[in-house]
Amino acid sequence: MTTSSVKKQRRPSRSGGIRESAVSRTVAMSVMVVATLYFLTPLWWLFVAATKNRPDFTTTAPLWFADFSLFDNIAALLDYRGGVFVRWLGNSALYAGVGAALATLFAAMAGYAIAKYAFRGRETLFNVVLGGVLVPATALALPLFLIFSQAGATNTIWAVLLPSLVSPFGVYLSRIYAAASVPDEIIEAARIDGAGEVRTFFTVATRLMAPALVTIFLFQFVAIWNNFFLPLIMLRDENLFPVTLGLYVWNTQVSQIPDIRALVVIGSLLSVIPLIVTFLALQRFWQSGLANGGLK
Amino acid sequence: MVARDTAVTPSKAVSHRRALAVFLLPFGALFAMFYIIPILYAVYQSLLTVEREGTFGPAVQVFGGLTQYIAVFQNEPFWASIGRMLMFGVVQVPIMLGLALVFALLLDSPLVRGTKFFRLAFFAPYAVPSVIAAIMWGFLYSPNLSPFTAVTRSVDFLSADAVLWSIANVVTWVYVGYNMLIIYSALLSIPQEIYEAARIDGANQFRIAWSIKIPLVVPALVLTGIFSIIGTLQLLAEPQVFRSFSSAVTSTFTPNLTIYSTASVPNISLAAAMSVVLAVATFVLSFTVLKLTQRRAAL
């Protein structure tokens, strides 16, 4: 079921709202408008600030444009220190893209198996995984660092990528979604047609579970893209930094190198855009995934 | 939950077992490697202690029993940071979830037009990484660069008294929309027929929200509440960034910052013991919230 079909069913209730008073309407809309200002003003400021040259940054009205130097600023950012910022964006894309894709696949397989097969220890396994959802990721970071340093693997791509491949919440969501949206009859039918279990999963189940898969992918993608503690303790070589860690390091240098402030601002803007665009592009899928699977 | 056909032939059962292994192995192996083993390793590390022969002798790690845990319980900065986060959570989590609930109810009510726009506008900050959000708000709070200099020159948002709540605002700004969306999704899945009787009885939107909608979204509120508690206790990126804006944010401001600075001393065993205590505390707290709310929901 998609969000749009949900919305269509709801239409009658909206026409029932004609009785609502104009006062309630005005109050409700005012609350929404004030809240919109609160949520969007910082983003608007970031965008405007990124378009200004250095003198204008501190001397002109912060919420409106001065001389438009967005492209000069971008050029300066891409040029700084041999274009290390592009590398950071690439690293973030690699960690988050590959990490989220594989994490989604593994979580979907495990969740599907727990939903659709009876086996001994099934509930125990599920409860252990659910317990994993409650373990703070930062509590894991330090022991992970110790383990990786014993293996001589800190300060490598693997130190950030491998731990990102695990999504206990993805298993939880997959199990609930598979139980609700993959009928046993379809699996039986595939079996009668002679399809193997694994093939059935990849050709039939993944299609029915698509909204849940997009949801898991996106939220894992955001979790990895935003992850800060793990790269902070694992990585020394700035060529391996994700964009969050890189901008954090630059921000700590603002007091010594004041010019770097402009790069932090434009860099922040560029690092936010990919996520906002991804969410907008895929909203149809992840919103229905949340609505149907997230909360049973 | 799922009734399975038990009449499987032996050969089929074997093929299912192989399929199960294929399905469960990748996640299971990674979960063991990057969740179970690190937890066990942290517990093991926390039981060690460093001993030296004489003042200048080589450091040797030996089994120290609960030495590190005693040290954790005597470590005042660590407990001060946990106390600070509990205070933070007691204020910030209800405000954030309250706002998320109000926005979700307004979006779901017939009072608001343009729901799609508002939904996306409120959710947009979630796409901003915590580090970037903290950097942005750091600029917005700064006395000179802020667009609101009239405000920031009279109120010092980065002072020792205010900085905790300035950070609370950053966290709220990022996560209200996310929590709102989870609650809103729960509201969308309530069948419309439930509202009919209330409407015939002449209940207004406020009454419908209070008596019907809120009780039905309690599970969503519990879920968002638990995630918020976990998030509060593991706060790290925002205060770490604020350290470059405000000297009031110390290296032991939050439990995770304390662990990080203890580990980089380096006092790995003490830091491991702190991690274990923090993880257990988080677990107990979220589990308690889950059980308490479940009991209330059953009444």
Side-chain angles (χ1 to χ4, degrees), chain A residues 44-45 48-49 51-52 55-66, chain B residues 145-149:
Chain A
W44 172 251
W45 169 83
V48 170
T51 65
K52 289 182 180 175
D56 284 353
F57 184 68
T58 44
T59 54
T60 58
L63 292 180
W64 199 246
F65 301 98
Chain B
L145 297 169
S146 172
F148 314 103
T149 39

Side-chain angles (χ1 to χ4, degrees), chain A residues 12 44 99 103 112 124 145 173 180 196 200 206 216 220 223 252 261 270 275 294 296:
Chain A
W44 172 251
Y112 171 80
T124 314
F145 170 78
L173 198 61
T200 305
T206 49
I216 298 167
Q220 185 71 3
T252 59
R261 186 196 285 144
L270 292 193
L275 283 189
K296 296 286 158 62

Side-chain angles (χ1 to χ4, degrees), chain A residues 10 13 19 36 38-39 45 58 109 115-116 137-138 143 191 197 219 226 229 247-248 251 275 286-287, chain B residues 2 4 16 19 22 38 108 118-119 127 129 132 139 145 169 173 178 181 192 199 205 234 236 240 244 256:
Chain A
R10 299 177 61 78
S13 89
R19 288 179 298 155
T36 304
Y38 169 66
F39 289 115
W45 169 83
T58 44
M109 282 160 52
K116 290 296 167 191
T138 49
R191 268 180 205 142
E197 300 296 315
F219 286 90
N226 293 357
F229 198 28
L247 285 172
Y248 162 76
N251 190 53
L275 283 189
W286 59 264
Q287 288 194 353
Chain B
V2 183
R4 294 272 325 133
H16 285 193
V22 172
D108 191 56
F118 288 124
R119 210 165 60 199
I132 311 295
F139 282 118
L145 297 169
N169 175 54
W173 181 77
Y178 169 76
L181 218 56
Q192 286 299 309
R199 221 171 273 127
Q205 285 303 321
Q234 64 175 322
L236 176 99
Q240 178 80 6
S244 59
N256 266 319

Side-chain angles (χ1 to χ4, degrees), chain B residues 10-296:
Chain B
S11 71
K12 261 194 170 170
V14 169
S15 87
H16 285 193
R17 207 171 299 153
R18 200 179 304 143
L20 258 182
V22 172
F23 287 138
L24 292 177
L25 211 61
F27 178 82
L30 290 163
F31 186 77
M33 258 190 288
F34 300 116
Y35 269 77
I36 312 256
I37 292 176
I39 291 170
L40 296 178
Y41 192 67
V43 172
Y44 164 74
Q45 274 287 333
S46 70
L47 297 174
L48 299 179
T49 190
V50 174
E51 270 183 12
R52 289 171 194 277
E53 291 183 29
T55 317
F56 302 106
V60 200
Q61 279 196 317
V62 295
F63 181 75
L66 296 178
T67 319
Q68 300 299 348
Y69 287 93
I70 294 165
V72 170
F73 282 98
Q74 292 169 343
N75 190 298
E76 275 179 33
F78 182 68
W79 292 103
S81 67
I82 289 205
R84 194 176 289 121
M85 283 309 103
L86 288 179
M87 188 167 74
F88 179 100
V90 166
V91 176
Q92 189 266 338
V93 173
I95 290 180
M96 174 173 72
L97 295 186
L99 286 174
L101 177 64
V102 168
F103 295 149
L105 287 170
L106 283 173
L107 282 181
D108 191 56
S109 80
L111 299 173
V112 169
R113 302 277 158 210
T115 47
K116 198 176 172 209
F117 167 77
F118 288 124
R119 210 165 60 199
L120 287 173
F122 293 13
F123 184 72
Y126 180 71
V128 181
S130 310
V131 173
I132 311 295
I135 291 176
M136 275 169 58
W137 278 96
F139 282 118
L140 296 177
Y141 289 140
S142 88
N144 302 317
L145 297 169
S146 172
F148 314 103
T149 39
V151 181
T152 54
R153 276 185 191 142
S154 53
V155 184
D156 184 0
F157 287 99
L158 300 170
S159 69
D161 294 333
V163 75
L164 185 66
W165 309 115
S166 303
I167 293 174
N169 175 54
V170 179
V171 177
T172 306
W173 181 77
V174 173
Y175 288 103
V176 165
Y178 169 76
N179 290 307
M180 173 197 79
L181 218 56
I182 291 182
I183 299 167
Y184 180 64
S185 303
L187 285 171
L188 283 184
S189 61
I190 299 174
Q192 286 299 309
E193 300 79 62
I194 291 184
Y195 304 131
E196 292 304 324
R199 221 171 273 127
I200 291 166
D201 289 347
N204 62 13
Q205 285 303 321
F206 182 79
R207 181 82 191 150
I208 291 176
W210 184 257
S211 307
I212 302 178
K213 290 184 178 176
I214 292 181
L216 284 172
V217 295
V218 165
L221 283 170
V222 171
L223 185 82
T224 51
I226 287 172
F227 283 143
S228 307
I229 291 170
I230 297 174
T232 302
L233 278 170
Q234 64 175 322
L235 208 59
L236 176 99
E238 298 87 349
Q240 178 80 6
V241 169
F242 268 69
R243 295 192 63 195
S244 59
F245 292 112
S246 167
S247 57
V249 183
T250 61
S251 63
T252 58
F253 198 74
T254 74
N256 266 319
L257 274 178
T258 316
I259 292 170
Y260 177 60
S261 52
T262 307
S264 44
V265 167
N267 192 341
I268 296 291
S269 290
L270 181 61
M274 285 173 173
S275 296
V276 172
V277 171
L278 181 63
V280 170
T282 313
F283 205 93
V284 168
L285 207 59
S286 27
F287 199 75
T288 312
V289 168
L290 189 68
K291 286 294 150 196
L292 280 180
T293 42
Q294 273 179 352
R295 193 179 306 154
R296 191 179 300 169

Side-chain angles (χ1 to χ4, degrees), chain A residues 35 185 292 294:
Chain A
E185 296 77 40
N292 295 327

